[in-house]
Amino acid sequence: MRKIGLAVLAAAAAALTSVPSHAEELRVGLAAIATSVDPHFHRAGYNFDLRENVSDALAYANGATGKLEPRLAESWTQPSDTRWVLSLQPEAKFDNGNALGADDVIYSLCRVRNVPGSPGLYTGFIETVANVTDPGDGTVVIETKGADPNLLRNLSYIGIVENPTGAALTYDATTCGNDNWLSTADFNSGAISPGIGHYRVVRFTPDVEIVLERNEGYYGEPAAYDRVTVKVLPDNGARIAALLGGAVDVINAVPINGLETIEAADDLHLTSAPSTLLIFLLADQHDGPTPLVTGTDGKNPFLDPRVRKALNLAINRDELVETVMGGMAQPASQIILEGIFGHNPDLPPYPYDPEQARALLAEAGYPDGFGLVLSAPADRYVNGAQVAQAVTAMLSQIGLQVRLETFPKSVYFTRASDYEFSLYLAGAAADTGEGLSIMLNLAATRDSAKGWGGANRGRYSNPVTDEALANAQTTLDDAEREALIQAAARQSYEDNGIVPLYHELGVWGVRNGVSFEANSNLLNIFYTARPE
């Protein structure tokens, strides 16, 4: 892996010690921006970005320190394994001046299951919640189906919005007896505010720009910048040019060929953090024909574990990391990043063995390979299109006739969720800072009611994996819980259910005079940015 000297966290930590009462605009250029202002619309990293800046959750899983911090819940106690009592922040108010109440928490957690048209619901974060009640004393009581050690880490992704019904809801696992759900379109138009946050959205132009203004009534430490203007710059060259030319102060997803340019500039610097974001391939493993495969007499070849293993053996991960990613990634043979809770140290790397891969295809009945389309987003991941091209070439080397198709992310994930792809490239991260969340999101059987498998659009499924993950959700003992996550990781590895490629390293380019904090979740947190 390439080693570069990056000024990472020291400046950011120092800058937090003093916050000016007012600072000017922060201009940001991002490879992708939120597809909606609605904090519950789509479980995806670029939507997490906006939600974290404009709609606080009950707690915050800090992607820079790994710690869980209070937010709208200023404190909490756990009287029993399945009962949590959260004291709400008394100073928190919505834009209209109304104080935060337990009914807003209940409404928000109910709404997560009831967002029409969502390409990826947040229900996985509330799957263990059995009941939510309002004792009327400034607290909210959450009861879980079983012990859930990660409850508050999961709830840290649910932005709290105001209850519009005028009545308290009775929580249940479906509609909570309500049919008055806030409209995603109203969030996007500005008719509805997304909640209580450091910033307010003043303009949202899909696929173009988001403009934020500081929330002067925010209950906590104020953001340093009065205004944040976020431009979408999916083209790597354009993003680098905007930073070099002074049009923006911060860019994310610095491309490999831009690192030295930024390092050499007198007025710019880089900041980075190891990332839990896994870039992977996932094959359609659902019964029946698969849409973009030819030459198999209508069979879905990916139902055969030998074919799936051939895919893993065909990938030269070291070459992807060194040549395509310029060393700014770590080769992966399992879902959870090394050093993250739940990583299984006993799983060896998949070897690069195209000869064995071809033999496995022959054993499976495909000595001459078959035709397929590899689908990938064109504008979502660092060097994503180049990685997809390299993978296409590698798969072709084992006798597969592969054609690459790329799409804008705005349509890509909807099509993937509609199961229009046979083999696709995507990414998923350990959202909550530990391995259970990404395993449930990527390796658990896809089940919208449970909130499992949101990123598992290939529909990999094994009851052994599911049982281990279900048990991990309710095991309080850390050692036992980690062993269960590791067992699930082993099963998905042995099934070759997923083709892990690498974990990204997050890198930002920053103008001198701006302190911008890197984090392992690859989120762009504007409220921690400070003038130096």
Side-chain angles (χ1 to χ4, degrees):
M1 293 177 62
R2 177 183 175 182
K3 305 295 184 183
I4 58 176
L6 303 181
V8 184
L9 297 176
L16 290 176
T17 61
S18 62
V19 180
S21 58
H22 288 280
E24 296 182 358
E25 180 182 27
L26 179 69
R27 302 162 304 161
V28 183
L30 300 182
I33 62 173
T35 56
S36 176
V37 177
D38 185 341
H40 307 146
F41 176 66
H42 181 197
R43 178 176 171 166
Y46 38 82
N47 287 318
F48 290 167
D49 265 5
L50 183 59
R51 198 285 306 163
E52 180 55 44
N53 285 286
V54 302
S55 180
D56 273 4
L58 292 167
Y60 173 53
N62 192 313
T65 67
K67 294 181 179 179
L68 186 69
E69 302 173 2
R71 278 291 170 81
L72 293 178
E74 64 173 357
S75 63
W76 50 82
T77 59
Q78 192 175 2
S80 71
D81 287 353
T82 59
R83 184 178 176 87
W84 297 71
V85 180
L86 283 61
S87 297
L88 298 180
Q89 169 58 247
E91 301 300 319
K93 291 182 173 60
F94 294 98
D95 285 354
N96 57 13
N98 291 339
L100 171 73
D103 64 308
D104 303 310
V105 176
I106 296 171
Y107 178 87
S108 299
L109 298 189
C110 289
R111 184 175 183 268
V112 165
R113 300 185 188 276
N114 294 278
V115 182
S118 169
L121 290 169
Y122 284 63
T123 49
F125 293 124
I126 63 167
E127 196 275 326
T128 66
V129 174
N131 198 18
V132 189
T133 55
D134 175 10
D137 58 359
T139 67
V140 60
V141 176
I142 300 178
E143 298 175 28
T144 55
K145 299 171 186 176
D148 181 1
N150 290 322
L151 176 68
L152 287 175
R153 285 188 177 273
N154 287 329
L155 295 183
S156 72
Y157 280 84
I158 308 298
I160 301 303
V161 300
E162 187 171 14
N163 174 12
T165 68
L169 303 183
T170 299
Y171 185 85
D172 61 38
T174 54
T175 66
C176 303
N178 178 60
D179 59 5
N180 181 11
W181 301 113
L182 295 173
S183 160
T184 295
D186 285 345
F187 279 112
N188 293 343
S189 70
I192 301 172
S193 172
I196 300 168
H198 290 81
Y199 285 101
R200 295 188 174 110
V201 179
V202 296
R203 184 162 67 248
F204 173 70
T205 308
D207 297 321
V208 178
E209 180 184 69
I210 302 172
V211 178
L212 309 177
E213 288 186 354
R214 179 169 51 190
N215 179 3
E216 300 295 348
Y218 186 65
Y219 64 91
E221 182 180 1
Y225 287 97
D226 296 327
R227 186 178 182 91
V228 179
T229 298
V230 184
K231 299 279 190 180
V232 62
L233 297 170
D235 180 78
N236 288 341
R239 209 159 55 254
I240 289 286
L243 183 64
L244 292 172
V248 297
D249 304 306
V250 179
I251 63 170
N252 76 330
V254 174
I256 310 309
N257 59 7
L259 295 171
E260 292 182 0
T261 302
I262 293 175
E263 286 184 308
D266 292 337
D267 60 341
L268 304 175
H269 64 277
L270 295 166
T271 183
S272 73
S275 161
T276 65
L277 178 64
L278 174 72
I279 303 300
F280 60 88
L281 302 180
L282 198 48
D284 178 15
Q285 294 163 57
H286 189 65
D287 290 341
T290 190
L292 299 176
V293 165
T294 59
T296 63
D297 294 327
K299 296 179 182 178
N300 180 354
F302 302 122
L303 296 177
D304 192 316
R306 293 169 295 188
V307 174
R308 300 197 302 269
K309 185 174 182 179
L311 297 180
N312 264 314
L313 296 177
I315 303 300
N316 188 334
R317 292 166 173 82
D318 290 337
E319 181 178 325
L320 283 179
V321 165
E322 295 298 332
T323 303
V324 185
M325 293 299 294
M328 303 303 290
Q330 180 174 318
S333 286
Q334 60 178 295
I335 293 171
I336 304 172
L337 177 69
E338 184 178 0
I340 298 296
F341 186 87
H343 174 84
N344 191 327
D346 298 327
L347 300 181
Y350 290 116
Y352 172 53
D353 193 339
E355 184 176 343
Q356 186 185 358
R358 286 190 289 269
L360 286 168
L361 289 178
E363 284 182 26
Y366 308 106
D368 299 320
F370 51 85
L372 74 148
V373 174
L374 172 62
S375 305
D379 55 355
R380 175 63 186 98
Y381 308 109
V382 174
N383 278 24
Q386 294 92 322
V387 168
Q389 290 169 358
V391 167
T392 297
M394 291 174 186
L395 295 179
S396 297
Q397 291 299 310
I398 65 169
L400 299 175
Q401 297 86 55
V402 188
R403 179 168 57 88
L404 173 64
E405 285 188 347
T406 61
F407 303 89
K409 73 177 189 309
S410 57
V411 300
Y412 179 78
F413 290 101
T414 298
R415 294 190 62 176
S417 295
D418 289 338
Y419 310 118
E420 295 183 23
F421 303 146
S422 290
L423 181 68
Y424 72 95
L425 182 146
D431 301 328
T432 59
E434 46 69 56
L436 180 57
S437 64
I438 190 172
M439 288 297 294
L440 286 168
N441 193 29
L442 182 53
T445 298
R446 194 166 169 87
D447 185 329
S448 59
K450 288 183 177 181
W452 284 16
N456 182 6
R457 297 175 177 90
R459 293 173 285 187
Y460 160 70
S461 178
N462 188 308
V464 175
T465 304
D466 289 349
E467 182 178 7
L469 293 175
N471 289 336
Q473 284 187 291
T474 59
T475 299
L476 292 176
D477 182 270
D478 284 346
E480 293 180 16
R481 186 168 73 258
E482 184 165 36
L484 288 164
I485 299 169
Q486 290 171 339
R490 173 176 290 281
Q491 188 63 58
S492 65
Y493 172 92
E494 292 176 349
D495 290 338
N496 290 275
I498 293 118
V499 182
L501 300 178
Y502 55 84
H503 289 95
E504 274 191 16
L505 178 68
V507 186
W508 288 258
V510 185
R511 186 165 309 286
N512 292 348
V514 175
S515 174
F516 194 85
E517 187 176 79
N519 68 84
S520 63
N521 294 337
L522 297 183
L523 296 183
N524 298 286
I525 308 296
F526 308 132
Y527 59 77
T528 58
R530 298 288 187 270
E532 292 181 327

